């Protein structure tokens, strides 16, 4: 499983690799339009939101700035409430030590720290690597071909195949990855039809350490080249017309590279070669063998790894 990745979150980064790529502005606006109490803000890397605030249509820019202001206000209220919780617990501890008071101090302090970090991230203008990190449920730009044109569309990193009920998100929480050996099974409606590319600098995996505890490893291609990760995507529509349309995707995984296996993980994303990009994004469902051949000829950079911070 590729549980997280540091991706190309901004149009300008994609344009350095693919100068002809266009942004699907209408879908970006629909996806990231915030409406207090009605339409919650779609979760996305901070780098993506910041670029939309700089380059997006004026109405969207103003809307996103209002969303930030509302989020900061809510977080400031959370900080105030948790600091009061900690102060009340500390006063109680002066007279009697109880487990509840100790937990209130610990939990309240942690929540204050997290809220303050989130406020700082919302206010910060300078870029940091973490601003481009995605996890399951987070939206990221995905490169597809539409009417012969390379197009970037924002999609959720957890695929809900068209025609499936919304509860598939909870029934199958691992659908942010698609195993190569199941592409003609569970993913048969997308493989050979709806292909995309996610560009990433690095990916992260959970592995079990020698002490039996979980640890997170960061894998980076030793070549320094951006990874062209093969993906499947879907456009889901609510048959009842109640829920909004959903664009979502899954990264395809294969047997692990040797260094990934030695680090303790059993899958690796498929990093395709640039010369196969057009064939991958314009699939022929009658020739699945050609698509598997692209996988067999994938790039094999040595993935250097270290424990993630």
């Amino acid at each position: 499983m590729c549980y997280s990745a540091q991706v190309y979150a901004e149009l300008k980064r994609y344009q350095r690799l693919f100068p002809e790529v266009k942004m699907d502005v209408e879908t970006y606006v629909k996806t990231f339009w915030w409406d207090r109490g009605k339409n919650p803000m779609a979760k996305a890397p901070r780098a993506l939101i910041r670029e939309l605030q700089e380059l997006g249509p004026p109405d969207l820019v103003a809307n996103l700035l209002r969303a930030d202001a509302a989020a900061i206000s809510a977080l400031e209220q959370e900080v105030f409430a948790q600091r009061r919780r900690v102060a009340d617990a500390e006063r109680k501890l002066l007279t009697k030590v109880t487990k509840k008071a100790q937990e209130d101090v610990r939990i309240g302090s942690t929540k204050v720290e997290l809220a303050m970090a989130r406020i700082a991230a919302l206010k910060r203008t300078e870029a940091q690597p973490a601003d481009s990190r995605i996890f399951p449920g987070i939206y990221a730009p995905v490169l597809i071909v539409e009417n012969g044109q390379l197009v970037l569309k924002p999609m959720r990193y957890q695929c809900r195949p068209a025609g499936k009920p919304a509860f598939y998100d909870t029934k199958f929480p691992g659908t942010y990855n698609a195993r190569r050996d199941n592409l003609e099974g569970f993913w048969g409606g997308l493989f050979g039809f709806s292909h995309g590319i996610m560009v990433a600098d690095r990916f992260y995996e959970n592995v079990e350490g020698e002490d039996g505890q979980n640890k997170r490893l960061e894998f980076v291609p030793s070549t320094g080249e951006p990874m062209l990760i093969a993906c499947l995507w879907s456009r889901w529509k609510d048959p009842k017309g109640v829920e909004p349309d959903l664009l979502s995707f899954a990264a395809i995984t294969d047997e692990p590279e040797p260094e990934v296996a030695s680090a303790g993980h059993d899958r690796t994303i498929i990093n395709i070669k640039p010369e196969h990009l057009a064939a991958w994004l314009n699939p022929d469902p009658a020739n699945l063998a050609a698509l598997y051949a692209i996988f067999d000829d994938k790039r094999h950079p040595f993935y250097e790894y270290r424990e993630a911070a």
Side-chain angles (χ1 to χ4, degrees), residues 184-309:
E184 294 179 64
F186 182 91
W187 301 100
L190 301 178
F191 181 53
F193 299 94
S194 300
H195 291 188
I197 288 290
M198 175 175 67
V199 182
D201 293 311
R202 59 199 66 210
F203 64 93
Y204 301 82
E205 302 290 6
N206 289 309
V207 302
E208 183 178 312
E210 295 180 357
D211 58 0
Q213 299 297 310
N214 179 73
K215 62 179 181 179
R216 294 175 178 178
L217 298 183
E218 175 187 82
F219 293 88
V220 183
S222 59
T223 58
E225 296 174 326
M227 296 177 286
L228 305 180
I229 300 175
C231 301
L232 301 176
W233 68 277
S234 182
R235 183 188 300 275
W236 182 89
K237 290 181 176 292
D238 183 4
K240 297 180 180 179
V242 177
E243 294 191 37
D245 292 357
L246 172 69
L247 290 177
S248 58
F249 75 103
I252 301 176
T253 63
D254 203 348
E255 294 301 312
E257 297 294 325
E259 65 274 18
V260 176
S262 68
H265 199 68
D266 63 350
R267 307 294 296 171
T268 306
I269 45 85
I270 293 180
N271 182 5
I272 72 170
K273 292 181 178 178
E275 56 263 36
H276 297 316
L277 183 68
W280 174 251
L281 294 178
N282 296 276
D284 178 1
N287 189 5
L288 298 183
L291 302 177
Y292 286 118
I294 291 174
F295 297 162
D296 293 336
D297 191 39
K298 65 186 176 184
R299 291 193 287 191
H300 296 276
F302 184 87
Y303 292 107
E304 299 173 341
Y305 63 89
R306 64 178 183 179
E307 189 162 358

Side-chain angles (χ1 to χ4, degrees), residues 47-60:
L48 187 159
I49 298 299
R50 187 181 297 120
E51 184 182 58
L52 287 178
Q53 289 176 344
E54 295 172 353
L55 306 176
D59 286 352
L60 179 61

